[in-house]
Amino acid sequence: MTSLHALIADITTLKVDAIVNAANSSLLGGGGVDGAIHRAAGPGLLAECRLLGGCRTGSAKLTGGHDLPARHVIHTVGPVWQGGRHGEAELLAACYRNSLEQAEAHRLHSIAFPCISTGVYGYPADEAAVIAVRTVRGFVDAGCTLTDVLFCCFSETNLALYQALLNGPPDPAANERSR
């Protein structure tokens, strides 16, 4: 059975099989979580990312962790919030699902997610948290090799959102909506 937890931490310090990078489409570093991961991982990550040819919104690509405690980085490009009428929810769910599929394809057991798209991309944190938890629950309920999924929050407010969703009643329609 897979355990889902939320915590406040610096994602670059977590010793898990993979951390997820809320990347931009070039995969060559940027601000926020992306910049922090690239700085902590060292120049090897940038060199490896240069070979990947970028990444489309909603997709995910895996690299080594380089100088990070995590063995891998799964890079995903979240949607920019445009008011919610431009497929943002579907693209954000795809970020989580495709990251989990990368983890599954590489038989990883632990993964840590940041709050994808909620920084400079402007996705409302409460809506993003619902999509994140619903998508991850739907994926793990279908069966997978993951034993631990962490939602790495950057504030007490975000942590409270995730804890409420994780401790609340399961969403019986999650499998339907997240696939």
Side-chain angles (χ1 to χ4, degrees):
M1 176 152 193
T2 307
S3 74
L4 280 63
H5 298 282
L7 73 159
I8 293 179
D10 175 349
I11 198 167
T12 67
T13 66
L14 298 178
K15 189 172 183 175
V16 291
D17 290 337
I19 60 172
V20 175
N21 181 13
N24 62 49
S25 61
S26 75
L27 301 184
L28 302 180
V33 171
D34 191 16
I37 289 172
H38 272 269
R39 284 188 299 277
L45 181 61
L46 179 59
E48 188 174 357
C49 285
R50 283 194 172 119
L51 303 174
L52 297 178
C55 186
R56 291 186 330 266
T57 302
S59 295
K61 295 186 177 183
L62 182 133
T63 63
H66 299 275
D67 294 339
L68 293 164
R71 293 185 314 141
H72 301 282
V73 178
I74 299 173
H75 308 266
T76 190
V77 181
V80 174
W81 180 254
Q82 299 177 51
R85 295 188 183 100
H86 300 278
E88 295 98 312
E90 294 81 8
L91 288 168
L92 186 58
C95 288
Y96 286 93
R97 192 172 41 258
N98 288 324
S99 295
L100 292 164
E101 286 173 357
Q102 284 285 336
E104 187 73 6
H106 292 87
R107 306 199 59 69
L108 305 182
H109 298 285
S110 57
I111 187 171
F113 285 98
C115 301
I116 299 168
S117 282
T118 62
V120 296
Y121 284 11
Y123 211 110
D126 55 342
E127 293 179 36
V130 168
I131 291 166
V133 171
R134 181 182 296 148
T135 304
V136 170
R137 268 197 180 138
F139 189 90
V140 301
D141 286 351
C144 64
T145 61
L146 288 164
T147 56
D148 292 298
V149 178
L150 304 174
F151 294 101
C152 188
C153 302
F154 56 88
S155 72
E156 290 289 338
T157 302
N158 280 324
L159 179 63
L161 289 170
Y162 280 88
Q163 286 179 329
L165 291 164
L166 292 171
N167 295 328
D171 181 354
N175 285 334
E176 293 297 317
R177 289 191 297 260
S178 68
R179 298 266 176 212

